[in-house]
Amino acid sequence: MTTWDGFQAFATTPVAAPPPPGAPPRSLEERLAYHSRFVTVRTPAIDALAKNVRTLMILGRHQAVTARPSLIVTGPAGAGKTTALLQVGRACHLAHTRRHGATAAAGQVPVAYVLVPPAASAKTLATEFARYLGIPVAAGMSQAQITNAVCHTYTSAGVQLVMIDEIHRLNPRTTTGAQSADLIKDLTERIGATFVYAGIDVTTTSLFTGVRGAQLAGRASLVDCAAFPARLGDSEPFRDLVKAMETALDLRATTGPGTLPKLAPYLHERTAGRIGSLARLIRQAAITALVDGTERITKTTLEAIRLDHLAEQHYQPRTRPRSARRRRDTSTP
């Protein structure tokens, strides 16, 4: 994904989709592969990010004097930040191809996706930008030389959207972190693209501190990928999310619609409302149901699955105190 060839393959590969009504049944292997990839449920965060990115790209299209306004996608781990980022990047790539035609767009690169390496220096971060487009980086090249090559190539390739993930890894309070933050500021001013960042709870990190943090905060608006609440006013966002995932399952047992939404309170407690943990839980349960031949997801199936450590730490099953069980047992005739 962090090279142009990889991202282009991701953007142009048809998304996973449940079988349409009346379609012939798929084989076991096809259904295992489907649940391994599974669908990406359209969430409010994806909608908000897509709308804001589209608006900012139009806003900054003819802005040449200063850096264009940017976005930061923030939220807890497992809240779907990277998924939202990649879905918007895919949409931007496909829209560019539709607008210009596949032939005309063949030599252009509308979207770039870069990960901030751990403890990144300005040079290693510039090298990541170079690697995305396959820009040769010789051992003796300076940071300035790499940066110049990146800016020239990205401009020539027509990059319109630059997505930088794991931005919370930058710490402007350290020397290397400050240099990396300066590099990103330099790139935003020299590349005519809209920059979108994603990171874990960036407002609680040092990213917005000091002079460099103030500059970033003054240019970037936030899109919050928070965990899904069980209830929000009169709506139940988490139950709606579970229902959408249940609808996308390809299992043959006649469980009946609404089985998983009935378990929404349990699923919310189990995953803390994080979409990443929920998607993993349902996908693993579906694959288990296919492998063991039951073709049905039950609470027993879900209970047997070990989730990510963060979710398992949060989940505290409610059990009846031993004394209460003893009283119940002794009172039974």
Side-chain angles (χ1 to χ4, degrees):
M1 201 72 73
T2 54
T3 65
W4 166 235
D5 288 341
F7 186 86
Q8 187 178 34
F10 158 77
T12 55
T13 299
V15 297
R26 298 192 279 196
S27 69
L28 175 62
E29 284 303 319
E30 287 174 326
R31 291 188 296 143
L32 286 171
Y34 166 69
H35 288 101
S36 177
R37 293 177 59 200
F38 208 46
V39 299
T40 298
V41 177
R42 192 83 181 183
T43 64
I46 293 178
D47 289 337
L49 181 59
K51 181 180 179 180
N52 278 278
V53 168
R54 185 167 57 248
T55 302
L56 290 185
M57 290 179 72
I58 296 172
L59 179 65
R61 187 171 292 165
H62 303 290
Q63 185 171 328
V65 178
T66 59
R68 301 180 180 194
S70 57
L71 280 171
I72 296 179
V73 185
T74 184
K81 298 179 298 299
T82 296
T83 298
L85 199 66
L86 292 176
Q87 291 306 311
V88 171
R90 182 208 295 270
C92 179
H93 173 87
L94 295 177
H96 178 83
T97 303
R98 286 193 301 269
R99 189 163 53 248
H100 298 282
T103 303
Q108 298 179 322
V109 181
V111 180
Y113 176 70
V114 177
L115 285 178
V116 176
S121 66
K123 186 173 183 178
T124 58
L125 183 55
T127 302
E128 286 299 304
F129 276 88
R131 188 170 70 86
Y132 182 81
L133 283 187
I135 302 170
V137 176
M141 289 179 69
S142 67
Q143 177 209 318
Q145 289 173 317
I146 299 171
T147 302
N148 288 337
V150 165
C151 293
H152 171 76
T153 308
Y154 274 55
T155 301
S156 300
V159 176
Q160 302 170 11
L161 177 65
V162 177
M163 305 183 298
I164 304 178
D165 209 348
E166 307 288 352
I167 193 69
H168 58 271
R169 289 175 173 172
L170 289 184
N171 182 2
R173 292 177 177 174
T174 67
T175 301
T176 55
Q179 292 170 349
S180 298
D182 286 342
L183 169 68
I184 291 178
K185 180 177 180 294
D186 188 26
L187 294 177
T188 63
E189 292 172 346
R190 296 175 62 183
I191 299 174
T194 297
F195 279 66
V196 181
Y197 315 94
I200 297 174
D201 295 331
V202 295
T203 55
T204 63
T205 68
S206 58
L207 197 62
F208 285 163
T209 60
V211 175
R212 294 174 178 85
Q215 288 179 327
L216 179 61
R219 292 176 175 176
S221 52
L222 291 179
V223 174
D224 193 0
C225 276
F228 275 67
R231 182 175 290 279
L232 188 63
D234 295 331
S235 64
E236 297 181 81
F238 188 79
R239 187 183 296 272
D240 293 340
L241 177 64
V242 172
K243 183 178 179 180
M245 289 188 178
E246 181 190 63
T247 303
L249 292 172
D250 189 6
L251 300 175
R252 293 176 183 167
T254 55
T255 307
T259 300
L260 288 183
K262 289 177 183 176
L263 294 174
Y266 158 75
L267 291 170
H268 191 272
E269 185 178 8
R270 183 81 192 275
T271 63
R274 288 189 289 267
I275 189 173
S277 299
L278 176 67
R280 175 176 169 178
L281 180 59
I282 291 179
R283 287 164 57 215
Q284 284 189 234
I287 290 172
T288 299
L290 288 170
V291 171
D292 65 19
T294 61
E295 299 268 352
R296 177 183 286 112
I297 297 177
T298 65
K299 188 175 180 180
T300 301
T301 310
L302 297 166
E303 281 286 337
I305 293 171
R306 296 291 297 176
L307 270 180
D308 56 276
H309 184 60
L310 193 62
E312 293 295 347
Q313 273 190 318
H314 169 83
Y315 179 53
Q316 298 293 332
R318 294 195 182 101
T319 56
R320 185 180 285 105
R322 183 177 300 177
S323 58
R325 292 200 302 269
R326 187 182 300 116
R327 285 195 299 270
R328 183 197 63 184
D329 294 340
T330 57
S331 64
T332 302

